[in-house]
Amino acid sequence: MVFYILAKYGLNQWKNPEAIKEYHHCVALTHAHPRNLIACGVYLAIIDKIVAGGNPLNDCIERGALEALEYYGNTAYKDEINVYKRLSDCAVFAKTPEEQIKGSGYVVETLEAVIWCLLNTDNYKDATLKAVNLGLDTDTVAAITGGIAGLYYGMDGIPGDWLAKLQNRGLLDKIYTKFVDTIAGKHSHSEDFEL
């Protein structure tokens, strides 16, 4: 969904209310509470900054989180912003002791755990392992952390021995290549995604 929104509306989608409306509409199919919409908006903003390129990951996270929280602070969701106050200063938040980070299934804690793991590592492997080692809802936290880390560090950042253990690696490589080519505009979005 994030890449669809980016492909359709371009970067800095916060300047286009239709982009956010469409994004929220899709997110709300399963996660309609305002806190969920805000968390997904922060995620979208971080991805937006990474895709724009040229900045360290910590800057992408901080700028994305601030931009999203500022946006939501001026909407009907402004009363929910306070639950995300720890993310308003990522440099301070990064120094939060690990025992104060909870990788639970609660959306606020999940987003905090993901961001904390990314801010306290400098590669894909360490970020995803840190997410798993937090415990609790490890599959969700590690999947989101790994997705962001993978986008930032690229396929070459994923340990080769991890990739070698994947089932159906050839099929996954084809799907990955088609996805990247589609996002890069090498394929029409309306083409069959036939493998």
Side-chain angles (χ1 to χ4, degrees), residues 64-195:
L66 284 175
E67 187 174 282
L69 294 175
E70 181 179 297
Y71 171 83
Y72 287 109
N74 294 310
T75 69
Y77 305 123
K78 64 184 174 203
D79 293 338
E80 297 291 340
I81 291 297
N82 194 43
V83 299
Y84 290 101
K85 65 183 171 197
R86 294 200 317 173
L87 300 181
S88 63
D89 187 339
C90 287
V92 171
F93 178 67
K95 296 174 186 171
T96 302
E98 184 172 339
E99 60 271 7
Q100 292 179 23
I101 302 299
K102 296 181 178 103
S104 74
Y106 173 51
V107 66
V108 176
E109 292 175 348
T110 296
L111 183 62
E112 287 182 345
V114 166
I115 289 174
W116 184 84
C117 289
L118 292 165
L119 291 173
N120 284 287
T121 57
D122 62 3
N123 62 73
Y124 178 90
K125 181 179 180 180
D126 290 346
T128 53
L129 287 175
K130 189 173 279 293
V132 168
N133 290 328
L134 285 175
L136 300 172
D137 193 4
T138 59
D139 57 337
T140 302
V141 176
I144 299 168
T145 302
I148 295 172
L151 181 63
Y152 185 79
Y153 297 112
M155 184 68 105
D156 293 338
I158 301 172
D161 57 327
W162 289 13
L163 293 171
K165 293 177 184 176
L166 290 172
Q167 297 292 318
N168 295 316
R169 172 76 189 274
L171 175 62
L172 293 173
D173 284 343
K174 286 180 185 179
I175 293 170
Y176 170 78
T177 300
K178 285 266 194 178
F179 176 75
V180 170
D181 287 350
T182 300
I183 295 303
K186 295 179 183 175
H187 293 292
S188 164
H189 297 295
S190 61
E191 283 183 31
D192 282 339
F193 200 76
E194 191 173 310
L195 300 172

